[in-house]
Amino acid sequence: MEGGSTLQEIQRHPCYDELAHEYFARMHVAVAPKCNINCNYCNIKYDCVSESRPGVVSQVLTPQEAYQNVRKTAAILPRLTVVGIAGPGDPLANPVQTFETFRLLNQGMPDLQLCLSTNGLKLPDYVQEIIDCGINHVTVTMNAVDPVIGGKIYHSIYYRGKAYRGEEAAAILISKQLEGIKLLAERGIKIKVNSVLIPGVNAGHLVEVTRAVQAAGAFSHNIMPLIISPGSRFERDGHQAPAPELTLKIQEQSAAIMPVMRHCRQCRADAVGLLGEDRGGCEGQVGLPVYSQEEREVELLRLDAELQARRSHRQSGGTSGFGGNGVRIAVATRGGGKVNLHFGHAKEFLVYEADGVSSRLLGVRKIQAYCNGTAECDEDDGKGKSFILAETVDLLRDCRILLCSGIGTFPQEALRKADIMTIVTKDDIDTALGQYGRFFTYFTDETSNINKRKEG
Ligand code: CLF
Ligand code: SF4
């Protein structure tokens, strides 16, 4: 096999390894503006929604600019291990820019892993270029394997000089996606498949997608809730994002077949940092320490060791291999495996299920930060803080515990009224999950015993 990744590379890829995402960073370079298909949830004014949140379209860079940007960013962000191209359009609809960028990176910064995210229409055409550029991770966004369902998702495609619409377009796209996955998997490339979960369109069908992509040789499946671009056809037709419970249900079905990614942040085409961080590249990062290549390598080895210690703790302490029937715990973290974020600053919570013996990540819930810096934590600023708090409480309604490094009394009280206990701690996430999962499970058992005793 010519392509492919070593185990160490996978364990340093924040999207391919769940624990790695708390230690290692990715950088997207936005060199690919055009797209060759037309998804009904997309509006071309925004970044590709198949791997992004809608936002102002990322500023497009030339390959040279992208390369220089990566060099400067790696010098101030030593935990950077992966550089990806994920838009703002489709990388393979811009092959010259995409492969020139990867070539420069492969030659100039060979210690970085290269990652490509595509809709897959042109994948079979570029297998050799992908191998030659040293790209070892490829993501294909695939929302259907049935052209009838695909025809509801894709408005049209542009393929070999001709436009196709609806089911005919979907049939060509699906066959190219599966062919591309197969060809790359045969040559050792790690393929992840992203699918956008669209209630009422492909929710009941995604398990078929899982089966098909596993048979084609994919490594993992990432089922992402639909985010609709403003001005897209789906917005006009009133489509809605799925509730967290539906996403979870579909992920569970697929997880019975193959590994499922649960920590995706649907990041922008120019995102830089740990997953969840969308800070820009090196611009504006004045005064940060600059690492030489040797210092960068030392830092990476230190992070490897920290991560390895965490893996060993999980194996010996039983925080993997979850047995079920646990309590849901939301965690505010900025990475490093710690509870280290104030409730008011959190823009997302990791939601775990823990039963006191083991635990597992269920997913990531994105929110607006409660604290906007203009008012004290316990004050309403009259600009929507109460509304944001109500939305956050609603999104965490299935959780019984929230772990954070600090919180004001006002939000704490709002959570308490929703039966969510807040625990302020700066512990390791695994330690806190074990401790509070155990406490809560015991407490719940006691309560149900008391109730049984009362009934008796
Ligand atoms: Fe980027 Fe995608 Fe590579 Fe990761 S993102 S190109 S595989 S380095 Fe990751 Fe971001 Fe989810 Fe993508 S969290 S949207 S899955
Ligand atoms: Fe938009 Fe779909 Fe193209 Fe991404 S692949 S840019 S979502 S049309």
Side-chain angles (χ1 to χ4, degrees):
M1 274 189 207
E2 315 107 286
S5 342
T6 62
L7 183 62
Q8 188 199 40
E9 283 172 334
I10 293 174
Q11 292 187 340
R12 281 184 178 177
H13 194 306
C15 305
Y16 279 66
D17 184 293
E18 187 184 300
L19 276 185
H21 93 274
E22 296 183 39
Y23 299 86
F24 296 107
R26 52 77 181 103
M27 173 172 187
H28 286 169
V29 285
V31 297
K34 288 187 291 186
C35 192
N36 45 11
I37 71 171
N38 206 327
C39 303
N40 284 328
Y41 46 71
C42 177
N43 175 351
I44 198 69
K45 284 189 194 150
Y46 300 98
D47 281 356
C48 171
V49 198
S50 293
E51 180 125 7
S52 306
R53 283 192 301 282
V56 184
V57 76
S58 306
Q59 193 197 348
V60 176
L61 305 173
T62 65
Q64 261 300 341
E65 285 169 339
Y67 174 67
Q68 292 304 336
N69 222 346
V70 173
R71 283 200 79 88
K72 289 183 200 155
T73 302
I76 56 170
L77 184 66
R79 63 175 75 235
L80 179 71
T81 48
V82 177
V83 177
I85 301 183
D90 186 74
L92 298 183
N94 305 262
V96 175
Q97 298 92 321
T98 295
F99 291 116
E100 178 58 13
T101 307
F102 280 135
R103 252 187 297 274
L104 288 168
L105 288 166
N106 192 32
Q107 283 160 13
M109 304 196 68
D111 64 321
L112 289 173
Q113 297 182 64
L114 305 180
C115 198
L116 168 79
S117 177
T118 174
N119 61 41
L121 181 63
K122 299 287 281 175
L123 204 48
D125 296 351
Y126 290 112
V127 170
Q128 196 55 49
E129 280 83 349
I130 288 171
I131 307 276
D132 291 346
C133 283
I135 298 165
N136 40 17
H137 294 87
V138 172
T139 292
V140 184
T141 299
M142 227 185 140
N143 302 320
V145 285
D146 177 346
V148 176
I149 295 173
K152 296 177 187 158
I153 301 170
Y154 306 109
H155 175 265
S156 51
I157 67 165
Y158 191 72
Y159 185 64
R160 304 219 160 133
K162 202 173 157 203
Y164 300 84
R165 298 181 80 141
E167 286 178 28
E168 193 186 7
I172 297 170
L173 179 62
I174 292 163
S175 81
K176 295 295 152 196
Q177 291 168 327
L178 289 172
E179 184 187 342
I181 293 171
K182 205 159 174 293
L183 289 171
L184 284 171
E186 279 167 6
R187 299 183 74 173
I189 303 295
K190 284 277 175 277
I191 314 278
K192 175 169 70 59
V193 171
N194 282 2
S195 296
V196 179
L197 167 57
I198 309 162
V201 178
N202 68 354
H205 173 64
L206 284 179
V207 70
E208 289 306 317
V209 176
T210 309
R211 282 197 193 97
V213 301
Q214 191 209 29
F219 170 84
S220 76
H221 196 183
N222 173 24
I223 294 166
M224 315 180 298
L226 169 69
I227 303 179
I228 303 173
S229 267
S232 63
R233 287 182 190 81
F234 270 10
E235 188 196 47
R236 192 193 56 208
D237 297 346
H239 282 272
Q240 300 283 329
E245 277 310 315
L246 178 62
T247 309
L248 198 53
K249 182 178 147 202
I250 306 300
Q251 286 173 338
E252 293 294 291
Q253 289 171 357
S254 295
I257 298 166
M258 72 187 290
V260 161
M261 178 183 185
R262 295 174 191 265
H263 59 284
C264 176
R265 306 304 209 277
Q266 290 169 275
C267 31
R268 286 178 52 124
D270 59 0
V272 182
L274 291 174
L275 298 191
E277 282 180 350
D278 271 357
R279 69 180 191 173
C282 48
E283 289 100 15
Q285 310 279 332
V286 205
L288 291 178
V290 174
Y291 291 73
S292 67
Q293 182 58 25
E294 292 70 35
E295 288 167 332
R296 195 177 121 74
E297 277 162 26
V298 170
E299 177 62 6
L300 286 171
L301 290 174
R302 188 189 68 75
L303 290 166
D304 279 340
E306 229 178 86
L307 179 51
Q308 192 45 49
R310 179 110 183 262
R311 286 189 212 282
S312 309
H313 171 78
R314 286 203 149 200
Q315 274 150 15
S316 61
T319 39
S320 59
F322 182 75
N325 290 329
V327 56
R328 290 194 184 169
I329 302 181
V331 179
T333 176
R334 53 163 59 94
K338 307 249 183 240
V339 183
N340 52 11
L341 191 58
H342 192 283
F343 171 83
H345 299 160
K347 292 186 183 155
E348 61 180 32
F349 294 102
L350 299 186
V351 173
Y352 291 86
E353 197 163 28
D355 62 6
V357 180
S358 55
S359 66
R360 64 171 181 157
L361 179 69
L362 289 184
V364 182
R365 309 255 172 102
K366 292 208 165 275
I367 50 153
Q368 282 192 70
Y370 172 67
C371 174
N372 55 22
T374 59
E376 290 299 313
C377 201
D378 287 335
E379 285 174 8
D380 190 0
D381 61 351
K383 292 184 198 154
K385 268 181 92 175
S386 305
F387 179 71
I388 291 171
L389 181 58
E391 271 196 334
T392 304
V393 170
D394 207 38
L395 202 69
L396 299 180
R397 213 163 269 289
D398 57 325
C399 300
R400 295 279 64 85
I401 298 176
L402 169 78
L403 302 173
C404 57
S405 66
I407 186 169
T409 49
F410 189 65
Q412 191 167 16
E413 181 57 16
L415 288 159
R416 192 195 62 74
K417 283 187 184 148
D419 244 352
I420 304 167
M421 182 195 297
T422 311
I423 292 167
V424 173
T425 172
K426 294 194 175 153
D427 250 338
D428 294 339
I429 294 176
D430 290 343
T431 309
L433 288 176
Q435 190 176 344
Y436 298 110
R438 198 154 42 242
F439 164 73
F440 203 89
T441 312
Y442 173 77
F443 183 73
T444 310
D445 285 353
E446 278 297 290
T447 313
S448 54
N449 284 341
I450 289 165
N451 286 341
K452 274 187 207 136
R453 280 203 294 276
K454 275 188 194 156
E455 283 159 19

